[in-house]
Amino acid sequence: MAPRRKRTNAAPLFVAAAVAYAANAALGTAVATKTIDTSGCRWLHHALYIATFAATGAAVSAAFWARPRMASRRAAASLVPAVVPLAAIPYLGTHTRRHPLVALAAAPFLVAGLVCSRIPSDRK
């Protein structure tokens, strides 16, 4: 029987990035559809954005320190393209149709990074 392979030891960072993104997207969607009113606490959406960006950056750093090395690098490489739309969001305006589209552009990469961080690699 082959030895049991372990997920990357940075997997919690990829989970944190995905959860922060999902929470931010859910809050943004609820505000856009007027399901909830955050006029008294607009900072919440901004705080979730900062948490998403910080967790994504920390997860990308796993390429340099996490083990197993190949799985960590694959997960980080899958996540790197998410940085572009996340970094662009503050500069593209927030009250246009473009805002949710740019934000959604990061989703596939966050999911790919999460999945890759959970799937172990045979190599170290």
Side-chain angles (χ1 to χ4, degrees):
M1 182 190 272
R4 183 175 167 94
R5 297 178 289 173
K6 295 181 181 178
R7 67 176 192 228
T8 70
N9 61 0
L13 291 175
F14 291 90
V15 172
V19 168
Y21 176 83
N24 203 11
L27 179 63
T29 301
V31 169
T33 59
K34 297 182 176 30
T35 304
I36 61 172
D37 178 22
T38 60
S39 60
C41 56
R42 291 190 179 166
W43 56 267
L44 182 58
H45 192 58
H46 299 138
L48 285 171
Y49 165 76
I50 292 167
T52 301
F53 199 81
T56 300
V60 167
S61 78
F64 304 105
W65 58 266
R67 299 284 182 261
R69 182 172 290 156
M70 291 302 293
S72 299
R73 287 184 177 167
R74 183 180 53 228
S78 298
L79 186 57
V80 166
V83 173
V84 174
L86 289 176
I89 286 173
Y91 301 101
L92 297 177
T94 57
H95 297 289
T96 65
R97 297 180 120 193
R98 183 174 38 193
H99 181 74
L101 295 175
V102 172
L104 284 172
F109 305 109
L110 284 153
V111 170
L114 176 65
V115 169
C116 288
S117 75
R118 309 293 293 176
I119 298 174
S121 173
D122 286 334
R123 298 184 218 155
K124 296 201 182 227

